[in-house]
Amino acid sequence: MSLKQTWVWLLLSFVGSATQDKTPDTHVTCVVAEDCVLPCAFQPSSNNLVRWFRQEALVLSFLSADSTEEEEEEEEEEDDDEGSDEDTEEDGEEQPGLEHGQRYDDRASVIPELVARGNATLVLKGCGPKDRGRYRCHVRTATGAHESHVLVKVEAPLRSLNMELSRLSGFEEIKCSTRHVYPAPHVTWETDPPASHHLRPITRKLADKQTGMYVVESRVRRLRNHPEITYVCKVTSSYGMQSWTASLRERAEISGPERRDISIPCHAPPHLRDPFLSWTFTHGQDPAHILAYDPYSRLSTVSPPWEGHIKMDTYRVPLGDGTLRLLDPDHDQHTGVYTCTYSAPYNTHTEETEVTISHVAEKHSSWEPSHWWIVALVITLLVIALAAMLTYLKVKGSFSTTRKQPEQPTEMHSVKVSTPEEMIPGESSPLTGPESGGETTHTPSKDA
Ligand SMILES: *[C@@H]1O[C@H](CO)[C@@H](O)[C@H](O)[C@H]1NC(C)=O
């Protein structure tokens, strides 16, 4: 290449790039895990060679079956100002068909039938954050060339926003969290009534190493001197296209005796339209599901353990009143935190109520009978023991006299005959029994 030729080439390149830059970039925002469609329209002819680049690295090249290499070679030199792709491009031109760049496989495609009609749209299947960037669509035909740029943004929109009052590790804080979001969103807090200057939010945004998706968690310390306050957490996507709001109201504690029905209030904020409603119960660790209400079918479903223990007026729920009535409550089963959550797209509202069911009334009826039973049992056992002892003694006494009878039949006989008065105390007392027997031997001899 002579000096003159080089100057002409540089000039042509400059003019070429200047005219190309006149076409503004097309902006495309793709949703993570969905297909990303990058438009590229051109004037179709024969020998269409389509090449897509991302940040000047080849994504794919597609050559129509009717092309001839020689014609294309010259035009390409003229249009292309990037030397780095030259090698790969030339390799790709050898045969008609589809070829992929290093990092791309079947994920990237153009539709051959559409290319013939001047549509070189690139489809990236299941896109992710790594697909962001500026893409270049370069098409060479038998009659001319086309170049256009597409600026691709990738977004994983917010699908949900959770808010909870966490009582773990001694700290009482309100936690607002979301996951699987890209790029990292902005988080702001406020309260109703306003006291947000007391809130010092701590927000963490962690990206997953493999997917690039963010987990966002923001916490504020619970304000102790503000009963019945509502905390509001607002999360806005960094492109500012959508924002989600979650609010949490801490309601005053409720307590009541066992077996007496109790009402746990829950009211939807007026701006929520047709929200879903769910009630959960927490006592210790995992929250247990109580009830779910569907605004479209206007039906509620109750979890089996709670059937017969709760009641909710489904006619009042569309009016914003989701109050739960606890029937025949039990201290052990029903003392805990009751949470109701209204959820609609972009909005959730949660209310928490701590409920204490006291079992004062049951103390008298359950403990005292068992106490008297013990007393009664002890007395009964004592009486039985005493009776048994007396019976034993009586039996033993009579047995000892009958045992001696065969040994001294004549003496006993003579005693009974001679002194019946003295024999009565002798029989009843085991100690005097044998002695009286001894005495009796004397009596007849004295008589004799
Ligand atoms: C090109 O093809 C794509 C994919 O089928 C389609 O979505 C798009 O509307 C087409 N563009 C034009 C200009 O026909």
Side-chain angles (χ1 to χ4, degrees):
M1 208 183 273
S2 73
L3 192 67
K4 195 185 164 194
Q5 277 178 309
T6 311
W7 274 109
V8 168
W9 182 79
L10 275 174
L11 190 69
L12 282 171
S13 300
F14 174 75
V15 171
S17 63
T19 46
Q20 280 154 23
D21 284 349
K22 274 181 196 164
T23 34
D25 289 6
T26 308
H27 290 255
V28 167
T29 302
C30 298
V31 175
V32 167
E34 290 181 9
D35 290 357
C36 194
V37 178
L38 284 66
C40 179
F42 64 98
Q43 199 61 50
S45 174
S46 57
N47 312 324
N48 303 313
L49 172 68
V50 175
R51 279 170 304 161
W52 273 98
F53 302 91
R54 176 185 172 271
Q55 323 273 71
E56 298 314 326
L58 184 75
V59 175
L60 63 75
S61 72
F62 173 75
L63 182 62
S64 300
D66 57 344
S67 74
T68 39
E69 294 173 33
E70 278 70 35
E71 288 175 315
E72 290 149 14
E73 203 75 32
E74 287 160 352
E75 285 190 61
E76 191 193 310
E77 288 291 326
E78 199 182 308
D79 282 316
D80 233 307
D81 48 347
E82 282 86 29
S84 59
D85 328 306
E86 227 75 324
D87 296 338
T88 38
E89 283 165 27
E90 275 164 24
D91 292 341
E93 279 172 67
E94 299 295 334
Q95 288 162 1
L98 189 68
E99 286 213 6
H100 289 103
Q102 269 194 340
R103 278 176 53 237
Y104 295 86
D105 44 23
D106 297 343
R107 220 164 68 75
S109 61
V110 288
I111 301 152
E113 305 86 77
L114 292 178
V115 170
R117 281 187 259 145
N119 185 343
T121 292
L122 174 71
V123 179
L124 288 173
K125 280 188 204 142
C127 70
K130 60 185 184 305
D131 293 323
R132 284 170 305 153
R134 194 163 185 247
Y135 288 73
R136 184 162 62 97
C137 170
H138 184 102
V139 189
R140 216 158 21 75
T141 66
T143 54
H146 163 90
E147 186 158 87
S148 60
H149 290 89
V150 180
L151 202 63
V152 175
K153 281 180 181 176
V154 171
E155 188 181 29
L158 273 101
R159 301 264 183 232
S160 68
L161 185 62
N162 300 316
M163 204 179 196
E164 59 181 343
L165 179 60
S166 133
R167 293 183 176 83
L168 292 173
S169 65
F171 288 110
E172 289 189 321
E173 26 178 47
I174 293 91
K175 190 172 94 178
C176 179
S177 62
T178 186
R179 51 175 50 251
H180 202 78
V181 57
Y182 187 88
H186 303 295
V187 183
T188 54
W189 286 84
E190 56 188 75
T191 59
D192 180 26
S196 48
H197 54 280
H198 292 301
L199 300 171
R200 284 187 196 86
I202 297 166
T203 304
R204 287 198 309 166
K205 300 170 188 179
L206 290 173
D208 184 283
K209 278 202 184 87
Q210 289 192 338
T211 62
M213 298 288 110
Y214 280 93
V215 172
V216 179
E217 215 177 78
S218 188
R219 300 156 181 270
V220 292
R221 195 72 76 81
R222 182 185 161 206
L223 303 176
R224 289 185 176 277
N225 306 322
H226 297 74
E228 297 253 325
I229 197 169
T230 303
Y231 301 86
V232 183
C233 163
K234 195 171 175 179
V235 178
T236 310
S237 73
S238 66
Y239 299 147
M241 297 216 276
Q242 50 158 211
S243 77
W244 281 65
T245 305
S247 52
L248 183 135
R249 180 178 178 182
E250 213 187 322
R251 283 195 173 265
E253 198 182 325
I254 294 177
S255 55
E258 273 193 322
R259 312 285 155 235
R260 191 175 297 166
D261 298 357
I262 213 168
S263 281
I264 310 163
C266 179
H267 293 283
H271 62 266
L272 280 188
R273 290 176 60 83
D274 296 332
F276 280 85
L277 171 64
S278 78
W279 272 98
T280 53
F281 170 75
T282 321
H283 180 71
Q285 292 296 318
D286 294 325
H289 189 76
I290 302 176
L291 173 148
Y293 172 83
D294 182 338
Y296 301 106
S297 66
R298 300 207 162 187
L299 290 173
S300 62
T301 46
V302 179
S303 296
W306 294 86
E307 272 168 20
H309 276 291
I310 53 130
K311 210 176 147 185
M312 193 181 70
D313 192 344
T314 47
Y315 292 100
R316 295 199 57 79
V317 181
L319 306 171
D321 181 3
T323 299
L324 188 76
R325 195 144 175 81
L326 204 56
L327 309 174
D328 193 27
D330 178 79
H331 166 78
D332 296 326
Q333 280 182 55
H334 302 123
T335 294
V337 177
Y338 289 77
T339 308
C340 74
T341 304
Y342 288 102
S343 48
Y346 311 108
N347 263 300
T348 61
H349 176 73
T350 303
E351 297 198 352
E352 276 209 15
T353 310
E354 212 173 316
V355 174
T356 310
I357 306 295
S358 53
H359 58 190
V360 182
E362 218 186 37
K363 261 187 178 173
H364 292 283
S365 53
S366 76
W367 198 82
E368 295 213 352
S370 65
H371 172 75
W372 284 115
W373 267 111
I374 293 163
V375 173
L377 194 70
V378 168
I379 291 170
T380 313
L381 286 173
L382 279 172
V383 167
I384 291 167
L386 205 70
M389 209 163 102
L390 288 173
T391 316
Y392 168 75
L393 291 176
K394 200 165 185 175
V395 168
K396 196 186 174 189
S398 60
F399 179 72
S400 60
T401 45
T402 46
R403 198 185 59 193
K404 282 190 169 112
Q405 248 176 345
E407 284 171 24
Q408 305 155 327
T410 45
E411 288 152 339
M412 283 303 287
H413 213 66
S414 58
V415 169
K416 268 182 188 170
V417 170
S418 59
T419 51
E421 305 98 332
E422 282 176 43
M423 281 308 292
I424 295 156
E427 264 185 275
S428 63
S429 168
L431 297 169
T432 51
E435 279 173 42
S436 64
E439 272 173 53
T440 46
T441 46
H442 291 285
T443 326
S445 59
K446 196 177 78 184
D447 283 352

